[in-house]
Amino acid sequence: AAGMFLRLLSDVRWRAANPKWRRTTCSRRSTSSTAEPHAVFLPAQAQVVICGGGIMGTSVAYHLSKMGWKDIVLLEQGRLAAGTTRFCAGIVSTARQVSIELKMADYSNKLYQQLEQETGVKTGYTKTGSISLAQTQDRLISLRRIASSLNVMGIPCEIITPKQVAQLHPLINIHDLVGAMYVPEDALVSPANVSLALATAASWNGVQIHERTSVSHVSVQKGRVTGVETDRGQIQCQYFVNCAGQWAYELGHSGEEPVNIPLHACEHFYLLTHPLKEPLASDLPTIVDPDGRIYIRNWQGGILSGGFEKNPKPLFTEGRNQLEIQNLQEDWDHFEPLLSALLRRMPDLEALQIMQLVNCPESFTPDMRCIMGESPTVRGYFVLAGMNSAGISYGGGAGKYLAEWMVNGYPSENVWPLDMKRFGTLQSSRTFLRHRVMEVMPLMCDLKVPRWDFQTGRQLRTSPLYDRLDAQGARWMEKHGFERVKYFVPPGKDLLDLDQSKTFYKPDWFDIVGSEVKCCKEAVCVIDMSSFTKFEISSTGDQALESLQYLFSNDLDVPVGHVVHTGMLNEKGGYENDCSIARLSKRSFFMISPTDQQVHCWAWLKNRLPDDSNLTMEDVTWKYTALNLIGPRAVDVLSELSYVPVTPEHFPSLFCKEMSVGYANGIRVMSITHTGEPGFMLYIPIEYALHVYNEVMNMGQKYGIRNAGYYALRSLRIEKFFAFWGQDLDAFTTPMECGREFQVKLEKGTQFVGQEALLEQKQNGVYKRFTMFILEDHDTDMDLWPWWGEPIFRNGRYVGKTTSSAYSYTLERHVCLGFVQHFDEKTGEELVVTTDFINQGEYEIDIAGQRFQAKAKLYPFSSLSTHRRRKDEVELSGYQRE
């Protein structure tokens, strides 16, 4: 087969460039059947053992060796690059919607471009460019949003007309196109050769590579990696890297301490043709036709074309498969829709002779993003897998970030969207994974408008109130496997239309959410927020207080009953978590964190709390239902239900009391709402949840109570300039950069993690600043809506991106939150961002290529909670100065 020929050619070239490695493998292969005395044995120990010799494993080895780590062993159960990498289509594309994925792909492209010169191994790198086609206006909007991100990243990109598509690629049928996106720097490579080139450079830097060596399990002692068992003996090591591709899941579960790596393989088809009569030029642009669900690239003068069908075929659900991936069985009936789409796009191919239909496994993850990082349960166990058919695009960048993570303790970019700790154990069910990847694979091409939700694997984690809320018209979204209410559909509304409404413009739920927000501001609403992560930390002595004082930036030595907003910072002062902590007693604390912090926060604390039997931490997320009672009449509802005065004089802000509500005892009531509006959070023991909810709704009827969802919450918190972790805050954002100095006590009498970095920022200033933008010339009814990730321009120059946005029903305008940076116009050097720099600029927000004027603010409107003002009366200048 042609694929096998390329593979053999790769082997010959690589071994020619590596005589030392060739002697090792020849010697080892000669011992595969008989144990000869001159066999090359595995080392007894190494600093790092990498499992997997595909693009990911070789990239990690390459980058670790470049960063100075030499004591590295790479093990491959078959031959190098003989897994999914061997069958990869070889398209290097930077057109990605997630910022970190875009950066990984851009780095990979630049790396592959110079790899042949560095190693002498031909990688087949050809700069062809790529053209993404749009058959609908919505698809074109999606491409325009990507193009905006690419351009501000310095990656050449333009939106082009169908006629320009035909000029760039004459064989393409353009009659049904409305436009396209052209990225001239995208490229093609030979994936196996790239892997071999990376392995060559790594071996020159001291990395030992052993083929035909299988890892059976990873040894763990006291929660740390200590070694690996292979079919050729044991290697003691400090770090283990699972780059086993589609085998990563099973390898993770084969250890003494299971590591959950939620991925699942699907069959992936593409065809190869013989060369055309006039062979295609090698630099002809790659075509991506997402509406047709196909991609098309030049292959040796002919065509390589595959796609992502609507009815994918999962495989290997039952367990371990073959050591090296062979071409799976052809299935022309299954491929027919993709073939039809190819012939519609390139009609001249009708008479072309097909050489082969390739069917190979590709690994997909539950959220279409790759899996990277250190295991939350085993220290020193790192993972890089689940590339969702983009392994060659991400390979270079992903290997770089993981190597940085291992060497420095953290990567150079925010990789939280890819961090394996975004998943819990619940995503590791084989049934869940099989069903989810059947949805994920078609989604690779589906149009993803803002606020779309997965449909499979739902109703997995639910509040005790789920059925009750569902019966009242709740519409659901999922976060970390937990069902959360978006909004409630009023009786009589057309439910079908609302559920199927998908748009980049004003959504159909606009008025529904507006009425929920109005009720929050004028009466009282209930939002079920049970998905919040909840930990209890206690000790027999002062151990809990002392440990938390060191791990959190605010002062937690407060009187019992007080609630403290605080950051859990890293050594750079960045937010690993943003949370609220209530002091329940002198030796007991109750910690509330964002939903997706459950695994990450637990691992962070577990690894840093002292190993003391007198200090305990318990995850009580499942023990408490959380109801957010928001609005000016919340005080009336709660006081009537508890027979206790809860006015501000008796129940001040940021206070926590254990109370009775109705018949239920032991309700933890806190005077916070996470929105800036008045109200209370009720943490209810789960067995009382339905009773308390019923009591609250019955009592609240006379005050106009109603249910509300997270969309209303988002609108409220954004217009109050409240930052949320995971959206606005991350490990590279400090309290000084987002106006949260008041949540830091630099002089609290004890050192804390990140203190030095914050002291330095306080003295020298910050290089980015969290800013609120109010769109001025934006028509809510007619213009595209901002969502997040839109470029921000100051005086015509790019200065940052939005991190979240919402329509403010109070201001009657869109509000965007984001970070502003200051770059020297001549040198590009980062400069300190001052208050004057923010206030004296003229700002625009770029929404899919169209710029809208915006006013910048460093402080929220002080009057939002007291009365509503017409948008034309709102004074947007004259901000409060620092």
Side-chain angles (χ1 to χ4, degrees):
M4 184 60 72
F5 170 75
L6 286 177
R7 170 68 222 199
L8 291 171
L9 189 62
S10 301
D11 285 355
V12 169
R13 287 172 178 163
W14 189 71
R15 290 183 174 89
N18 290 271
K20 175 185 172 185
W21 187 88
R22 186 175 71 246
R23 286 197 301 273
T24 303
T25 23
C26 290
S27 171
R28 185 162 67 254
R29 282 194 177 156
S30 68
T31 66
S32 58
S33 54
T34 58
E36 296 184 9
H38 60 277
V40 176
F41 296 104
L42 293 179
Q45 60 185 41
Q47 184 183 11
V48 182
V49 172
I50 301 169
C51 177
I55 185 68
M56 294 303 148
T58 54
S59 179
V60 172
Y62 171 87
H63 286 96
L64 282 175
S65 66
K66 285 278 188 182
M67 296 182 73
W69 284 19
K70 307 296 184 185
D71 189 12
I72 301 167
V73 175
L74 188 150
L75 306 178
E76 165 54 49
Q77 64 180 355
R79 294 175 302 157
L80 284 179
T84 301
T85 302
R86 170 187 166 192
F87 286 99
C88 178
I91 299 169
V92 184
S93 169
T94 53
R96 307 289 166 182
Q97 292 186 326
V98 179
S99 177
I100 187 63
E101 293 178 342
L102 191 160
K103 290 176 182 177
M104 288 196 306
D106 185 43
Y107 173 84
S108 298
N109 196 347
K110 291 179 170 67
L111 173 67
Y112 303 157
Q113 194 168 359
Q114 54 87 35
L115 203 54
E116 186 172 323
Q117 183 179 355
E118 179 185 344
T119 64
V121 178
K122 292 189 179 298
T123 58
Y125 183 92
T126 309
K127 191 175 290 186
T128 61
S130 71
I131 304 172
S132 298
L133 308 179
Q135 296 182 29
T136 66
Q137 288 298 332
D138 273 353
R139 178 69 69 182
L140 191 59
I141 291 167
S142 178
L143 295 178
R144 287 184 188 278
R145 289 181 64 88
I146 295 172
S148 292
S149 293
L150 290 172
N151 282 322
V152 297
M153 286 280 296
I155 300 170
C157 173
E158 61 178 313
I159 299 297
I160 60 175
T161 64
K163 283 186 178 179
Q164 289 172 298
V165 172
Q167 290 167 4
L168 290 164
H169 201 307
L171 294 179
I172 294 297
N173 174 16
I174 63 169
H175 80 277
D176 58 346
L177 301 182
V178 297
M181 178 177 70
Y182 177 46
V183 185
E185 301 286 310
D186 281 355
L188 296 177
V189 295
S190 165
N193 288 10
V194 169
S195 292
L196 298 174
L198 291 168
T200 298
S203 66
W204 286 347
N205 287 329
V207 175
Q208 297 184 54
I209 299 173
H210 295 267
E211 293 183 312
R212 311 270 180 209
T213 307
S214 295
V215 175
S216 54
H217 79 271
V218 180
S219 303
V220 177
Q221 287 183 12
K222 295 182 179 179
R224 280 206 73 99
V225 167
T226 58
V228 296
E229 287 281 353
T230 79
D231 57 355
R232 295 177 52 211
Q234 186 180 36
I235 307 176
Q236 292 183 337
C237 63
Q238 297 169 258
Y239 299 94
F240 175 73
V241 189
N242 185 337
C243 295
Q246 61 170 317
W247 296 278
Y249 175 96
E250 295 157 71
L251 180 58
H253 280 261
S254 67
E256 297 168 3
E257 181 79 37
V259 173
N260 293 309
I261 305 168
L263 53 79
H264 197 293
C266 278
E267 296 182 28
H268 179 59
F269 296 86
Y270 62 81
L271 62 79
L272 300 169
T273 75
H274 288 283
L276 278 72
K277 285 184 180 178
E278 289 187 24
L280 293 179
S282 61
D283 60 352
L284 201 65
T286 296
I287 298 295
V288 180
D289 184 1
D291 296 310
R293 318 190 74 80
I294 57 170
Y295 56 83
I296 309 164
R297 57 155 287 194
N298 165 65
W299 186 76
Q300 298 186 355
I303 289 293
L304 183 159
S305 179
F308 301 95
E309 62 274 23
K310 291 183 178 180
N311 56 333
K313 299 167 69 175
L315 73 167
F316 307 137
T317 304
E318 297 78 15
R320 200 166 182 83
N321 51 326
Q322 73 272 20
L323 292 183
E324 291 184 8
I325 298 175
Q326 307 300 323
N327 191 9
L328 303 172
Q329 188 173 351
E330 289 186 349
D331 189 340
W332 283 102
D333 289 339
H334 190 77
F335 189 72
E336 193 279 329
L338 300 181
L339 179 60
S340 296
L342 170 63
L343 294 176
R344 280 195 301 272
R345 189 56 58 212
M346 296 181 72
D348 291 350
L349 298 185
E350 286 278 5
L352 198 61
Q353 188 177 358
I354 293 171
M355 179 185 293
Q356 184 183 11
L357 180 63
V358 177
N359 177 7
C360 59
E362 284 273 11
S363 296
F364 295 87
T365 64
D367 61 359
M368 295 188 291
R369 300 198 297 267
C370 75
I371 297 172
M372 174 191 292
E374 188 175 18
S375 161
T377 54
V378 180
R379 299 297 303 274
Y381 191 121
F382 285 82
V383 176
L384 185 57
M387 292 296 137
N388 300 283
S389 201
I392 197 66
S393 291
Y394 297 154
K400 171 179 180 278
Y401 290 140
L402 193 77
E404 290 173 346
W405 205 330
M406 295 173 69
V407 174
N408 302 326
Y410 49 84
S412 57
E413 295 282 351
N414 172 35
V415 296
W416 170 249
L418 315 177
D419 193 327
M420 66 184 298
K421 291 185 281 294
R422 72 189 188 271
F423 295 120
T425 55
L426 56 96
Q427 282 97 353
S428 287
S429 151
R430 291 303 271 176
T431 305
F432 166 82
L433 288 171
R434 182 180 177 88
H435 291 174
R436 175 56 68 85
V437 297
M438 291 175 72
E439 178 183 11
V440 159
M441 194 168 166
L443 277 170
M444 302 295 292
C445 289
D446 286 353
L447 186 68
K448 289 175 280 293
V449 300
R451 315 275 186 246
W452 61 272
D453 300 291
F454 290 107
Q455 301 304 308
T456 53
R458 297 295 297 272
Q459 299 180 33
L460 196 56
R461 301 174 74 197
T462 60
S463 156
L465 306 177
Y466 179 88
D467 288 339
R468 187 76 201 280
L469 300 178
D470 196 57
Q472 295 179 74
R475 286 295 168 267
W476 302 91
M477 60 181 176
E478 171 253 336
K479 182 88 165 179
H480 202 65
F482 217 115
E483 296 294 328
R484 312 200 304 181
V485 181
K486 295 188 281 192
Y487 50 80
F488 286 83
V489 179
K493 189 82 174 174
D494 189 335
L495 306 187
L496 188 62
D497 278 357
L498 201 63
D499 285 343
Q500 293 179 347
S501 166
K502 295 177 180 178
T503 180
F504 289 101
Y505 291 89
K506 179 181 176 180
D508 286 354
W509 46 256
F510 179 81
D511 292 330
I512 294 173
V513 174
S515 62
E516 292 179 4
V517 168
K518 187 173 189 288
C519 189
C520 286
K521 287 182 168 294
E522 297 177 1
V524 58
C525 276
V526 177
I527 303 180
D528 184 344
M529 298 179 68
S530 302
S531 66
F532 269 11
T533 299
K534 301 173 274 287
F535 295 163
E536 283 182 5
I537 302 159
S538 56
S539 59
T540 55
D542 292 334
Q543 299 94 331
L545 176 62
E546 290 170 1
S547 300
L548 296 182
Q549 284 284 66
Y550 173 68
L551 292 172
F552 292 87
S553 60
N554 210 338
D555 189 358
L556 297 174
D557 193 5
V558 294
V560 171
H562 282 245
V563 182
V564 176
H565 287 314
T566 182
M568 183 175 81
L569 310 181
N570 54 37
E571 285 74 11
K572 305 186 305 297
Y575 279 98
E576 292 295 334
N577 185 13
D578 179 45
C579 55
S580 303
I581 299 180
R583 190 169 193 179
L584 303 178
S585 71
K586 281 192 171 296
R587 296 167 180 170
S588 178
F589 297 84
F590 185 50
M591 176 178 170
I592 301 105
S593 306
T595 303
D596 48 6
Q597 274 280 359
Q598 190 166 16
V599 176
H600 173 71
C601 182
W602 179 268
W604 180 270
L605 290 174
K606 203 73 177 169
N607 291 334
R608 287 160 179 79
L609 287 172
D611 188 11
D612 185 341
S613 60
N614 295 314
L615 177 66
T616 60
M617 179 171 69
E618 183 184 3
D619 185 344
V620 295
T621 300
W622 63 276
K623 286 187 175 182
Y624 292 93
T625 296
L627 292 183
N628 196 348
L629 205 58
I630 302 180
R633 306 313 296 266
V635 63
D636 301 303
V637 174
L638 190 59
S639 62
E640 289 198 42
L641 281 172
S642 61
Y643 293 96
V644 173
V646 290
T647 56
E649 302 81 51
H650 299 91
F651 203 137
S653 180
L654 295 177
F655 203 70
C656 175
K657 271 187 200 178
E658 209 164 86
M659 298 169 57
S660 297
V661 177
Y663 297 151
N665 289 317
I667 314 298
R668 290 176 183 170
V669 179
M670 300 184 193
S671 47
I672 54 175
T673 63
H674 305 285
T675 62
E677 300 295 329
F680 304 90
M681 285 293 304
L682 279 60
Y683 289 92
I684 308 158
I686 204 161
E687 63 269 28
Y688 300 145
L690 200 54
H691 167 75
V692 172
Y693 173 78
N694 289 337
E695 290 291 298
V696 166
M697 294 305 287
N698 291 335
M699 183 62 70
Q701 279 186 3
K702 60 185 175 184
Y703 299 109
I705 198 168
R706 65 177 290 170
N707 292 297
Y710 272 81
Y711 283 11
L713 187 86
R714 181 188 288 118
S715 176
L716 291 168
R717 72 96 177 167
I718 287 176
E719 73 177 17
K720 286 292 179 62
F721 205 5
F722 275 32
F724 267 28
W725 190 90
Q727 295 174 47
D728 311 301
L729 309 179
D730 58 43
F732 289 80
T733 306
T734 74
M736 304 300 185
E737 294 164 348
C738 60
R740 292 191 169 198
E741 298 90 336
F742 63 94
Q743 292 183 10
V744 176
K745 295 295 183 286
L746 291 169
E747 314 298 335
K748 65 179 178 178
T750 177
Q751 282 193 321
F752 62 87
V753 179
Q755 187 175 23
E756 288 184 16
L758 298 187
L759 283 168
E760 186 178 329
Q761 280 195 332
K762 184 177 181 182
Q763 183 176 345
N764 300 331
V766 297
Y767 291 93
K768 64 178 179 180
R769 192 71 185 270
F770 194 50
T771 309
M772 180 181 190
F773 297 95
I774 297 92
L775 296 190
E776 289 202 297
D777 58 345
H778 183 270
D779 187 322
T780 304
D781 295 320
M782 302 301 295
D783 289 326
L784 290 169
W785 274 32
W787 298 97
W788 58 83
E790 290 85 14
I792 303 165
F793 291 86
R794 179 187 182 274
N795 298 344
R797 292 178 60 85
Y798 171 70
V799 290
K801 283 188 175 183
T802 64
T803 51
S804 57
S805 67
Y807 182 79
S808 166
Y809 293 89
T810 312
L811 295 172
E812 297 182 7
R813 298 186 186 189
H814 258 98
V815 176
C816 301
L817 308 182
F819 286 92
V820 170
Q821 295 170 278
H822 184 189
F823 300 102
D824 186 279
E825 293 190 17
K826 293 179 180 176
T827 66
E829 179 190 359
E830 266 193 314
L831 302 175
V832 170
V833 178
T834 63
T835 304
D836 284 343
F837 178 79
I838 299 288
N839 291 340
Q840 292 170 7
E842 296 289 332
Y843 292 90
E844 294 172 304
I845 306 294
D846 180 320
I847 306 175
Q850 185 178 357
R851 296 189 188 181
F852 296 90
Q853 291 182 357
K855 284 287 186 181
K857 281 179 63 66
L858 288 171
Y859 303 94
F861 290 97
S862 59
S863 59
L864 281 180
S865 59
T866 55
H867 66 280
R868 181 187 176 108
R869 296 196 282 177
R870 291 178 54 81
K871 62 180 178 181
D872 53 341
E873 295 172 353
V874 174
E875 178 56 50
L876 295 175
S877 58
Y879 325 115
Q880 179 184 348
R881 301 277 173 156
E882 281 188 325

